[in-house]
Amino acid sequence: MGVIDYEKYYLKKEEMLKFIYSNQDKYDDRGIDKFRDIISDYYIDKKFWNIPVSYFQIFSKFGVFKEGQDIYLEFFKLLNELNFLEGNVCEIGAGGYPRLAEIMLPKIKLNGGTLTIYEPEILYTDFKGIKIVKEKFTEDTNIESIDTLVGLMPCIASESIVEQAFFENKNLLIGFCECDHSSRSGIKKGNNKYWAEALCNYYKKRYGNEAEILSLFDNIGVDIPIMVRHKR
């Protein structure tokens, strides 16, 4: 079973295509070409990991997922439950269309906080109230004014985000991707199903209960861990 709601998808299909093509200046020819898959309904029956993030963000914006299957909305709910949408929030690896940031912003503003994004390949930048930094996030990035670090499938930046959260004493919520970053990291995948599991095991051994490991997205078909840290 896929994560897309057929009825919602077909109701919003024309609107989605208009949105993409009205913003075609943000994409190269290859990028626009990929969205022809919306016309052919290629992803209508696909499970979560078979849908590229670039599509997922647009599908979320137009609300075409089945109930409880939109990973951005589910991640937002967890952030809200943890009270991580208060103070100054920094999202790393927001993607081409910063959908999670778009969802978080009203709540953060209501709480009197600020929202910063680190994403070198962001395409959509016209969001009032969001500070967008088109740079890579590293272990040297200055996060002195930040209260909470957030990452949803931030890929190669994952280890830097976690390291910064512990070293600089920040709140952290990170949902990992399925990529194997063993070649760029001192932490190797080993016998784990995912590299992220090895990363979580390492920080769990190093920091004990400070590194809380969750599994939130089983209902979506995503079994990759989520790490939570509360600043002391």
Side-chain angles (χ1 to χ4, degrees):
M1 288 287 288
V3 293
I4 302 294
D5 183 298
Y6 292 5
E7 185 175 349
K8 292 177 182 176
Y9 180 90
Y10 288 116
L11 282 171
K12 293 286 187 175
K13 180 176 176 179
E14 185 176 346
E15 196 176 343
M16 284 191 289
L17 289 169
K18 282 182 179 178
F19 175 78
I20 294 298
Y21 284 105
S22 68
N23 287 284
Q24 60 183 311
D25 60 307
K26 295 177 171 63
Y27 299 89
D28 56 25
D29 290 339
R30 187 180 171 191
I32 277 292
D33 227 32
K34 290 196 301 182
F35 284 98
R36 289 179 184 166
D37 288 329
I38 295 179
I39 299 173
S40 66
D41 306 329
Y42 180 76
Y43 291 109
I44 194 73
D45 293 312
K46 302 297 183 184
K47 294 182 180 180
F48 177 85
W49 286 123
N50 299 119
I51 301 175
V53 171
S54 55
Y55 286 86
F56 232 91
Q57 293 174 327
I58 301 301
F59 290 161
S60 174
K61 175 179 176 60
F62 287 93
V64 301
F65 288 107
K66 293 175 181 175
E67 189 68 28
Q69 303 287 288
D70 185 334
I71 197 169
Y72 297 103
L73 288 177
E74 297 304 308
F75 205 69
F76 167 78
K77 289 176 187 176
L78 181 56
L79 283 162
N80 201 33
E81 289 171 12
L82 293 167
N83 295 318
F84 279 1
L85 297 173
E86 299 177 359
N88 300 324
V89 179
C90 178
E91 183 193 1
I92 300 97
Y97 185 91
R99 176 58 180 156
L100 180 60
E102 184 179 41
I103 298 171
M104 291 191 295
L105 183 61
K107 184 70 174 182
I108 292 171
K109 289 176 70 175
L110 184 65
N111 291 335
T114 65
L115 176 57
T116 301
I117 287 175
Y118 275 82
E119 174 52 78
E121 297 183 15
I122 193 167
L123 300 177
Y124 293 82
T125 58
D126 47 348
F127 289 89
K128 292 181 179 178
I130 300 178
K131 179 182 177 182
I132 297 174
V133 183
K134 296 183 75 171
E135 297 174 5
K136 291 182 179 179
F137 184 91
T138 72
E139 291 178 25
D140 296 320
T141 299
N142 186 344
I143 58 169
E144 185 178 355
S145 65
I146 300 300
D147 299 296
T148 301
L149 295 177
V150 175
L152 181 54
M153 299 179 290
C155 209
I156 191 60
S158 297
E159 192 171 354
S160 295
I161 297 167
V162 175
E163 188 64 29
Q164 280 267 48
F166 282 95
F167 187 76
E168 299 290 347
N169 188 27
K170 306 296 181 181
N171 293 322
L172 168 71
L173 183 64
I174 180 170
F176 298 97
C177 63
E178 64 176 351
C179 303
D180 183 1
H181 298 299
S182 294
S183 62
R184 305 185 189 185
S185 170
I187 300 169
K188 305 305 177 186
K189 179 182 174 183
N191 294 323
N192 295 286
K193 184 177 180 181
Y194 300 113
W195 174 81
E197 291 176 325
L199 186 73
C200 287
N201 291 337
Y202 170 79
Y203 280 94
K204 193 72 178 171
K205 288 178 182 176
R206 186 172 166 187
Y207 292 104
N209 291 335
E210 273 192 66
E212 184 181 357
I213 312 303
L214 306 177
S215 180
L216 176 68
F217 302 125
D218 289 341
N219 62 316
I220 303 177
V222 182
D223 59 353
I224 294 183
I226 292 170
M227 186 184 292
V228 181
R229 181 191 186 272
H230 296 267
K231 66 179 181 179
R232 301 186 300 274

